[in-house]
Amino acid sequence: MSKLNLENIIQYLGKLTFRNKILLMILLGALSALSFAPFYIFPFLIVCYPLFMLMSIISDQPKYAFYKGFAFGFGHFFAGLYWIGNSVIVEADIPNWVGPIMVTFIAIYLSLFPGLVAYVLKYIHRNHTVSKNLLNISISFIVLWSFSEWLRGMLFTGFPWNLMGYIWGFSDIMLQSTAIWGIYGLGLITLILSILAFFALVNRWRIISAPVVILGIIGLYSFGSSRLPETIEYVEQVNLKVVQANIQQKDKWPYENWSKNLITHMDMSDDNKAENKDIIIWPETAVIYSISEEPLRRDVMSSILNEEDILLTGFPRRQRDPDQTRIFNSLIAINKEGNIEGIYDKSHLVPFGEYIPSFITNIMIPLGLDKMFTGGQGFSHGEGIKTLNIDGMPSVGVLICYEIIFPGQVTDPENRPDWLLNITNDAWYGESTGPYQHVLQTRVRAIEEGLPLVRSASTGISAIIDPYGRIVDQIGLNKRGVVEGALPQKLLERTLYSFLKEWIFTCIGVTLIIANIVLLRRRHPQKDKA
């Protein structure tokens, strides 16, 4: 192309064969995944999503737009979620080829969302030319993509991973607006800025789009920098001790290692200091024994505690009902006497990882596939998110593993906690992008709720995070150590997002829809043939 402008780009894309269009969309989707942690190559965002929009709208029919959107989604989710395959192949009895197949099926399902975005976009604007209706098409695309992310986070238990707003994860300042409109709202604003930045690059409305992008970025930065205090307030006389033993997945579950791993955690936690109350935190399933049933083992564990200390650890809780024995992925709080101060059972379980959805259980069990995903017995669902009120420590909201990734669903609305605790394994994912993306989502939940958050991960990344999402201290991936420090104070005033959840995001989206309808009616689109 001799000149970079919108017309030349559309002409070039239109000349591609259908096969090459599909391949290009897969490539664009894969490149867009590099906008997220830990790479943050956000210029790909400015190119990939606008080209996704253009490729969809120049399709002959909505069904061809769907194919292109599906191809974009497949590249995006396969590249962005490749680490999920590691969670399968770490098991010795599962062949390595199962991992890529699992990621493929997940990517196929998630690709339905971009596919539907492209289909609906083309259907709405099937009689509209790009040149005369570019603004309307862009507004439709922004709204459709943003609400598709929200739907992806809700339907079929939800999986809101790598949402658009997370591309700002490299900057504490740029994430601060999530305290107002949440990560979905930040994603919508981000997509607006990306589309306008693309228009500026291709010399379309440059005199307007470029200043709007600059002002938008300045606005996000100014709000974030003004919101962040220079100092952090801490809870008095409470000391956190987050243990990261760095026990690899292959060494965690064999029965002969249970006792050794328990002793490792105890040795790393033990000290003779008694100046402050210690809250000692071990990660998800750090103890494999069902210690809620074993008072003698709890007595041994409590020997490392001083008088007012509390030990919080993940473990698989066994509950013997009259007709069956159920297993829960749980956290237990133990005091100096070995007594149980509180228990939380994980309620939002990972499909196929921790349980098999009931509607396909009858298919998988005869084929023996249930053992491939859950080892033959999955976990049972807990009663829901709740706050633990334990004597001698601030009330805590517990979230196990990926329960932390769901915006607006991390606190008990009837009993709001003083801080959040996320215990997780993450040893499943090895040296991959997964743990970095997971800890980023943890930081954003802290900002949204205005609550400090402590993260304890088996192999990392463990951290103490203040209510502004800033990491106070951490242990990196695949390292052994203890994060020790005071607990940051929660914000004195609750964030707007903690009250309104997704209502601001929804209002922005509805406003855009109304504005789009008004613009379309003024243009009399029924007379504007493609």
Side-chain angles (χ1 to χ4, degrees):
M1 290 181 289
S2 59
K3 186 178 180 182
L4 182 63
N5 59 45
L6 186 64
E7 289 72 22
N8 284 342
I9 292 173
I10 293 174
Q11 184 179 17
Y12 174 79
L13 295 176
K15 290 181 179 180
L16 296 175
T17 65
F18 183 73
R19 184 193 67 176
N20 287 341
K21 290 175 181 177
I22 294 297
L23 292 175
L24 176 60
M25 291 297 277
I26 293 174
L27 176 62
L28 290 173
L31 291 175
S32 71
L34 295 176
S35 302
F36 299 97
F39 307 108
Y40 298 119
I41 310 178
F42 60 88
F44 282 132
L45 194 76
I46 300 172
V47 175
C48 296
Y49 287 89
L51 289 181
F52 170 95
M53 179 184 72
L54 293 176
M55 286 286 280
S56 302
I57 205 65
I58 65 173
S59 302
D60 293 333
Q61 300 177 38
K63 67 177 182 180
Y64 296 121
F66 174 84
Y67 299 149
K68 296 174 186 176
F70 185 91
F72 180 93
F74 184 83
H76 176 80
F77 292 114
F78 192 93
L81 301 175
Y82 77 93
W83 49 266
I84 293 179
N86 291 353
S87 66
V88 177
I89 63 177
V90 293
E91 299 292 345
D93 56 345
I94 296 180
N96 289 347
W97 54 263
V98 174
I101 290 178
M102 183 177 179
V103 178
T104 298
F105 277 110
I106 292 173
I108 288 173
Y109 159 65
L110 294 175
S111 297
L112 294 174
F113 292 94
L116 289 173
V117 168
Y119 181 94
V120 176
L121 180 70
K122 178 60 183 179
Y123 182 83
I124 292 173
H125 298 285
R126 59 192 180 279
N127 296 322
H128 301 161
T129 59
V130 176
S131 59
K132 294 182 179 180
N133 297 278
L134 182 60
L135 179 59
N136 301 108
I137 292 168
S138 300
I139 293 174
S140 296
F141 174 71
I142 290 165
V143 172
L144 288 169
W145 181 272
S146 299
F147 278 103
S148 77
E149 287 199 326
W150 178 82
L151 283 173
R152 173 160 63 87
M154 299 297 292
L155 295 180
F156 307 114
T157 79
F159 192 58
W161 199 277
N162 277 1
L163 302 174
M164 181 74 69
Y166 287 128
I167 69 111
W168 299 106
F170 61 89
S171 170
D172 293 328
I173 292 175
M174 300 301 283
L175 289 173
Q176 293 305 306
S177 68
T178 56
I180 299 175
W181 45 43
I183 194 65
Y184 292 116
L186 180 58
L188 189 152
I189 299 300
T190 301
L191 190 53
I192 292 174
L193 297 177
S194 300
I195 297 293
L196 290 176
F198 178 79
F199 290 159
L201 289 176
V202 298
N203 201 25
R204 175 59 64 101
W205 308 328
R206 181 175 292 175
I207 195 170
I208 297 175
S209 56
V212 171
V213 172
I214 294 171
L215 289 174
I217 293 174
I218 291 175
L220 289 173
Y221 184 88
S222 298
F223 174 81
S225 59
S226 65
R227 187 173 187 269
L228 288 176
E230 293 183 4
T231 59
I232 302 173
E233 299 293 330
Y234 293 96
V235 178
E236 294 182 359
Q237 296 184 331
V238 173
N239 185 62
L240 300 169
K241 189 178 294 184
V242 185
V243 176
Q244 181 171 303
N246 196 33
I247 297 172
Q248 300 300 315
Q249 190 64 25
K250 63 183 178 62
D251 300 320
K252 181 173 185 174
W253 288 97
Y255 177 75
E256 61 271 19
N257 291 342
W258 291 9
S259 178
K260 180 180 69 175
N261 294 341
L262 173 58
I263 292 171
T264 296
H265 280 91
M266 291 176 61
D267 287 343
M268 293 180 67
S269 308
D270 194 13
D271 69 31
N272 296 317
K273 296 179 182 177
E275 298 138 5
N276 294 320
K277 303 170 187 175
D278 276 351
I279 302 175
I280 299 173
I281 302 168
W282 298 350
E284 178 187 14
T285 57
V287 180
I288 309 301
Y289 302 103
S290 182
I291 50 178
S292 58
E293 302 178 295
E294 302 185 36
L296 293 179
R297 202 175 302 275
R298 293 199 306 272
D299 285 341
V300 173
M301 294 168 60
S302 65
S303 65
I304 64 171
L305 303 178
N306 292 315
E307 190 59 38
E308 295 185 325
D309 293 353
I310 292 291
L311 171 63
L312 305 174
T313 182
F315 78 111
R317 185 175 75 85
R318 184 170 51 197
Q319 179 171 307
R320 302 177 191 274
D321 299 326
D323 56 341
Q324 64 175 331
T325 297
R326 294 191 293 164
I327 307 294
F328 295 87
N329 188 352
S330 304
L331 173 135
I332 191 170
I334 301 172
N335 64 17
K336 171 61 179 175
E337 287 71 40
N339 296 326
I340 300 173
E341 292 282 345
I343 287 179
Y344 169 73
D345 298 322
K346 184 178 181 181
S347 59
H348 203 147
L349 301 176
V350 181
F352 303 104
E354 294 178 310
Y355 81 107
I356 300 175
S358 58
F359 66 94
I360 61 172
T361 299
N362 293 335
I363 298 175
M364 299 189 71
I365 289 179
L367 298 175
L369 297 178
D370 59 315
K371 295 182 180 180
M372 176 178 292
F373 294 106
T374 65
Q377 180 175 7
F379 289 109
S380 297
H381 293 268
E383 296 177 353
I385 297 296
K386 72 175 183 179
T387 298
L388 295 183
N389 295 285
I390 300 171
D391 289 341
M393 69 176 251
S395 61
V396 58
V398 180
L399 301 147
I400 298 179
C401 194
Y402 98 143
E403 286 184 315
I404 195 66
I405 76 173
F406 295 93
Q409 302 177 47
V410 297
T411 60
D412 180 354
E414 304 299 325
N415 186 12
R416 187 169 170 80
D418 294 317
W419 61 294
L420 296 174
L421 170 62
N422 177 220
I423 61 169
T424 185
N425 186 1
D426 281 10
W428 294 102
Y429 308 127
E431 190 76 40
S432 71
T433 59
Y436 297 98
Q437 295 166 2
H438 200 179
V439 75
L440 167 60
Q441 295 173 85
T442 303
R443 289 169 50 210
V444 174
R445 296 297 86 76
I447 302 171
E448 290 172 340
E449 299 294 337
L451 296 174
L453 199 152
V454 179
R455 186 174 197 267
S456 176
S458 297
T459 58
I461 303 166
S462 298
I464 298 173
I465 301 168
D466 77 2
Y468 300 95
R470 296 177 295 189
I471 294 178
V472 178
D473 197 4
Q474 67 175 325
I475 302 176
L477 190 62
N478 292 326
K479 298 182 183 297
R480 174 176 290 195
V482 177
V483 178
E484 189 166 4
L487 174 66
Q489 287 270 17
K490 68 178 180 180
L491 298 189
L492 295 178
E493 295 184 5
R494 288 179 56 177
T495 63
L496 198 58
Y497 179 82
S498 71
F499 282 108
L500 299 178
K501 305 302 181 185
E502 310 307 337
W503 278 108
I504 296 179
F505 159 72
T506 302
C507 287
I508 296 173
V510 171
T511 301
L512 289 174
I513 292 172
I514 294 172
N516 212 20
I517 292 173
V518 172
L519 287 172
L520 284 171
R521 286 182 174 178
R522 287 184 176 180
R523 289 178 179 275
H524 302 289
Q526 66 274 14
K527 297 180 182 180
D528 180 22
K529 302 298 181 182

